[in-house]
Amino acid sequence: MLVHVVRLRAEGLKRSRDEVLADEPARGVLLLNRPPCSTNYRNRLYAGLLGPDGRWLLPVLEPATVHRISARGMLIRGTERIQLERSKEVLFAQAWWCRPVSE
């Protein structure tokens, strides 16, 4: 599904309403899927936003939870993993507001 995504958090902290409204949304294909072939994580979802070149536009949310679906869009919450160096990464809480793109 083609969507516009606005990130509601920055480094795990809630962004102000003004910041969120002023932000340019990322546009891509929303994927909600389960990790492949893993019985330990069979009930988990991951959410990703793919660009036209097949690359992730935003850090993948894993695990992801769909918290709300309405006529105006969908709220997805999860944890994003940010790679700092080759062997170092940090985890941050993140939430996406996803709005379908009507073409």
Side-chain angles (χ1 to χ4, degrees):
M1 169 188 335
L2 189 60
V3 297
H4 284 141
V5 173
V6 176
R7 296 168 82 196
L8 303 179
R9 294 178 172 267
E11 296 183 351
L13 302 174
K14 253 179 129 173
R15 297 170 64 202
S16 73
R17 186 176 198 288
D18 293 335
E19 285 179 311
V20 170
L21 292 174
D23 198 8
E24 183 72 29
R27 179 184 171 136
V29 175
L30 176 66
L31 296 178
L32 284 170
N33 213 339
R34 297 191 192 296
C37 303
S38 176
T39 56
N40 292 342
Y41 300 109
R42 69 173 177 241
N43 295 326
R44 286 186 158 184
L45 286 176
Y46 68 85
L49 188 68
L50 276 178
D53 61 355
R55 294 184 186 194
W56 297 119
L57 296 177
L58 300 173
V60 173
L61 299 184
E62 186 180 0
T65 306
V66 177
H67 275 266
R68 182 175 42 210
I69 299 175
S70 73
R72 295 184 313 152
M74 176 175 16
L75 177 64
I76 301 173
R77 291 183 184 161
T79 303
E80 63 183 7
R81 190 179 307 261
I82 306 294
Q83 195 77 31
L84 297 177
E85 296 174 10
R86 183 180 285 187
S87 62
K88 290 191 178 190
E89 61 186 20
V90 291
L91 302 174
F92 292 114
Q94 185 55 268
W96 292 352
W97 178 248
C98 308
R99 291 186 330 267
V101 174
S102 56
E103 293 186 271

